[in-house]
Amino acid sequence: MFKGGVRRSGLEWFSSLPACLLLLSVVLFSTSSDLHNQMLQGGEQLWSGYYKLRMDPSEPTCNPGRNIDAAVAQELARSTTEDDPMAALLGAQEKDPADVRLAIERSVADCKAAHQSYDNLRGQLTPGVKAYRAIELFIADLIAFGLESQRYILVLLVMLCAVTATLTRHHIAMRGMQTRLDYTVSYTLQTVANVMLLGSSLIFRQSSMGAETSVSPEDLLLHNVWITGFACLTLASLYRLVRVPVGLASGGTLNKAFFAVPLYTVMCLISGTYFALIGHASGIGIYLGKMMDLADMFLNVGLYVWVGMMLKQTRLATLVFNLFRPWQMPPEMLAVVAVLVAAVPTAYTGASGIFVIAAGAVIYTELRAAGARRQLALAATAMSGSLGVVLRPCLLVVVIAYLNREVTTDELFGWGIWVLVLTAVMFATVALTVNRQSTFNLAPASRALPAMLRAFRPLIPYALVIMTVILFYRFVLNVHMDEFSAPRILPVIMLAILLYEHVSLKNARGKASGEINHQGLERSVRGATNDTTAEIGALLLLLGLSVSIGGVIERSQIMQALPQSFDSLWSAMALMVLVLVLVGMIMDAFGAVILVTATVATIAYASGIHPVHFWMVTLVAFELGYLSPPVALNHLLTRQVVGEAEVLAAQQQAGSFYQRHERIIMPLIAMSISLVLVAFVPLLFYA
C-alpha cells in the first residue's frame, strides 16, 4: 500500500474541483427532495388546493348554457329506430325521455361546475402563486434530473477519482512501491488490468447493442461513459509506466514487487481471466454495471469519505482528545477510549474501512501525541472502525435489511448494541492485560475533572453548530437524523464547522488550545477534497472489482459445493463462521453482503439459524476478516492514511514476537473471542 507518492501540483483542482462539484450535487439533489416536500405542504397551507394550481387550468370545452329541452329532443330523435331497419332488426329500443333529461341535466351541471372551478382557479393564480409555483416546479425538475443523473454521477466520480489515484500512486496494495522493479511490475499489471476493463466494457456494449431488446439512449450513454473512463484510466497507467519517477531504489525482488500491485488490479486479473476462459468476456463490465443498481449507496460511500477528510481539517478530533488528557491515562487505556469514541462516527460513515480512511490519520496522530507506541497506535487505528458497524445508522446494516426481508434495521440495530458492548469489553481486556507496558497512575479526580470541564468549553460552539444544522433539517425540512438522511446531512454539518472555524479563528489563529494549522475555509475544503479524490478512486474501484469477484464466486458455483442445509445448528454455524471470515478477507463489506445474501444466507436460514443472529455473526466475522492477514484490509487502509514510513518504523522496533506484531495480533485476539461468543452462545438458547 502506498500513500501519495506524488506531490499534488498547482493543478490539484483539475481533479478535485469536479469531484467536489459532483459530491455537492449529490447533497443538493437529495436536499432538494426534502425542500420540495416542504414546499408542497407550504403551498397547500397558503393556498387551499395548491396541487390544482401547480399547472395552468385548461378551459372546459363543454357548453354550460346548453338548451336542455332541445338536447333532450335531439337525443330522443337520434334513438328512434323507425327509419333504421338495421337498428330495429338488432332489437334497439327507444330511450326513456325522463332518463335522457336526467342525464343531460347532470351533464350540464357538471359542465357548469367545471367552468366554475376553472374560473376559481384562474382567480387564485395570483402573481404570488405563480412565483411560488415557478420555484416549486423548478425544484421538482431538479429532483427528477438528480434521480436520472445518479448513475452518471457515480461513473464520473469513480473514473475521475480512479485516474487521480493512478496518477498519484494512491491505489490500495499490500505494500508500497519502493524500488524501480516494484514500480514497473505494478504499473505494467495495472495497464493490463485497465485494458481488460476497457475491453470488457466494449464487448458488453456491443452485446447490448446486438440484443433483441433495444438499448435506451440513457443506457447507451452510460456504456460510453464507462468506456471513455476506462480508456482514460488505461492511458493514465500507461503514462505512469513510461514516466518512472526519480528517487526509487534500484534492485528489488519479483516476489515483493507483486505485493506492490493494487488489490483492484489483482481482482481484475482474476475475474477477467476467469470470464475470458468461460467465454463470457463481458463479465466484468456486466458486474460493474450492477453497481448502478445501488448507485445511491456507492455515492453515500463517497460522501462519507469526504466527511472524514473534512473532519481531518478541523480541530474537532483534537478537542475531543483534550477531554481525556487531564486524566493522564496510560496509552493502552487511551487506545481503548479512542476505539470506543470512534464507534459513534463509524456508525455514520457506513463501514469500518470507510472510517479508517476518513479518520484513521487523526486517531493515529492523537494517540502518538499522547505517548502511545507505534504498534499500539496502529492496532487501535485499524480497529477504530470495527465496533461501530452494528450501531444506528450504519449504512452497511441498512443495505443488509434492504437485501434481506427476513430482518429489519430495528432488529439489527437493537442487537447491535449488545454486540458493541461485547467487542468493546474484549478489546479493553486484551489491551489492558496482554503486553501492558505502562502503569495505571490516573490523575486524581479533584484535579482531572475541573481540567476536563475546561477542555469541554471549546467544544460547546461545535455542538451548537451541529445542533443548528440538525434542527434546521428537523423543523425546516422535516428530516430526522437517521440512517437514511445522515449521508446528506453530515457534509452540511462539516461544511458548517469549517465555516465556523474560518470565522472564529480568522483573527485568533494560534490562541486556541489544541489548534491545528487552520488555513481558512477555501484551503480546508480544497485540502479535504484533494485527499477525498484519491481515496474515493482507490476505494470505489476496489468496491466495484469486489463485486466482480463476487460474480466469479457465484458463477463458479463454489458455494453450491456446500451442503444446502445442516441437521446440526452447531455444524452449520461453524461452517458459516469459517466461510464468512474468508469472504471478509478477500472482499469489501458491501460486495460481501451482496454475495452472502445470494449464497450463504439461504443455507443458514434453511439450517435453522435465526436471520438476525446470522447477520450479527456476519458483521463480526467480516470485521475479523478485515483485520486478518494476508490481506487485512483495515491494516492496509491504516497504512494508506498514516504513511508507509510509520508502519516501517513500527516493524523495525525490537521486542518479543507479540510486541513486534502487536498491531496485527491484538485486534485478532479481541475480534476472534468476540466472534466465537456471538456465534455460539445464542445457540444455547434456541438450538
Side-chain angles (χ1 to χ4, degrees), residues 286-306:
I286 292 174
Y287 280 99
L288 283 176
K290 287 187 176 182
M291 289 179 66
M292 301 301 100
D293 297 335
L294 296 172
D296 55 342
M297 181 191 77
F298 288 103
L299 286 174
N300 288 343
V301 170
L303 289 175
Y304 282 134
V305 174
W306 193 34

Side-chain angles (χ1 to χ4, degrees), residues 101-226:
R101 176 173 290 275
L102 180 61
I104 293 177
E105 287 176 346
R106 288 177 176 174
S107 176
V108 172
D110 291 341
C111 182
K112 290 181 179 180
H115 277 274
Q116 181 65 39
S117 176
Y118 171 73
D119 294 336
N120 291 339
L121 290 177
R122 286 190 60 189
Q124 294 179 34
L125 284 175
T126 62
V129 173
K130 291 181 179 180
Y132 187 90
R133 182 182 67 177
I135 298 174
E136 181 261 310
L137 290 177
F138 171 76
I139 295 176
D141 293 338
L142 186 66
I143 295 169
F145 176 76
L147 291 175
E148 294 173 358
S149 305
Q150 266 193 339
R151 298 185 302 167
Y152 306 108
I153 293 175
L154 176 60
V155 176
L156 289 173
L157 191 65
V158 171
M159 292 293 95
L160 175 67
C161 296
V163 170
T164 303
T166 299
L167 293 175
T168 57
R169 295 160 54 189
H170 210 99
H171 281 297
I172 302 170
M174 299 289 288
R175 61 186 293 271
M177 303 176 197
Q178 300 174 9
T179 66
R180 293 178 65 91
L181 181 61
D182 295 343
Y183 185 92
T184 302
V185 170
S186 177
Y187 272 104
T188 298
L189 293 181
Q190 282 185 60
T191 304
V192 173
N194 294 336
V195 169
M196 274 188 174
L197 291 171
L198 176 60
S200 181
S201 298
L202 284 168
I203 295 172
F204 182 31
R205 181 184 184 277
Q206 289 302 114
S207 61
S208 299
M209 296 291 291
E212 296 180 359
T213 57
S214 59
V215 180
S216 66
E218 293 79 11
D219 289 338
L220 182 60
L221 177 60
L222 195 63
H223 280 299
N224 293 336
V225 175
W226 274 116

Side-chain angles (χ1 to χ4, degrees), residues 2-24:
F2 201 54
K3 179 186 174 180
V6 178
R7 293 181 59 186
R8 307 296 290 269
S9 68
L11 299 177
E12 56 192 8
W13 269 120
F14 182 77
S15 63
S16 57
L17 179 58
C20 182
L21 295 177
L22 289 172
L23 293 169
L24 283 175

Side-chain angles (χ1 to χ4, degrees), residues 16-34:
S16 57
L17 179 58
C20 182
L21 295 177
L22 289 172
L23 293 169
L24 283 175
S25 68
V26 176
V27 177
L28 175 64
F29 291 143
S30 57
T31 304
S32 298
S33 178
D34 304 324

Side-chain angles (χ1 to χ4, degrees), residues 40 147 165 207 278 314 386 441 472 500 527 552 560 622 633 662:
L40 288 176
L147 291 175
S207 61
I278 65 173
T314 71
S386 297
N441 293 322
F472 172 82
Y500 159 74
V552 172
Q560 278 65 27
F622 282 176
L633 182 60
E662 183 180 16

Side-chain angles (χ1 to χ4, degrees), residues 19 22-24 26-27 30 154 157 294-313 342-360 362 388-389 391-399 413 480-495 528-529 531-533 535-537 539-540 543 589-590 641:
L22 289 172
L23 293 169
L24 283 175
V26 176
V27 177
S30 57
L154 176 60
L157 191 65
L294 296 172
D296 55 342
M297 181 191 77
F298 288 103
L299 286 174
N300 288 343
V301 170
L303 289 175
Y304 282 134
V305 174
W306 193 34
V307 167
M309 295 307 163
M310 284 191 284
L311 175 63
K312 288 172 57 177
Q313 299 293 325
V344 175
T346 298
Y348 283 93
T349 53
S352 60
I354 300 174
F355 179 79
V356 171
I357 282 184
V362 177
V389 294
L391 295 181
R392 190 182 300 273
C394 181
L395 177 64
L396 186 60
V397 176
V398 175
V399 173
F413 286 134
H480 297 268
M481 182 73 160
D482 56 22
E483 59 267 30
F484 306 104
S485 62
R488 63 180 182 268
I489 297 179
L490 287 175
V492 179
I493 290 176
M494 295 311 305
L495 288 171
T529 311
D531 293 338
T532 301
T533 355
E535 299 294 358
I536 288 179
L539 187 59
L540 287 185
L543 294 181
F590 297 103
V641 296

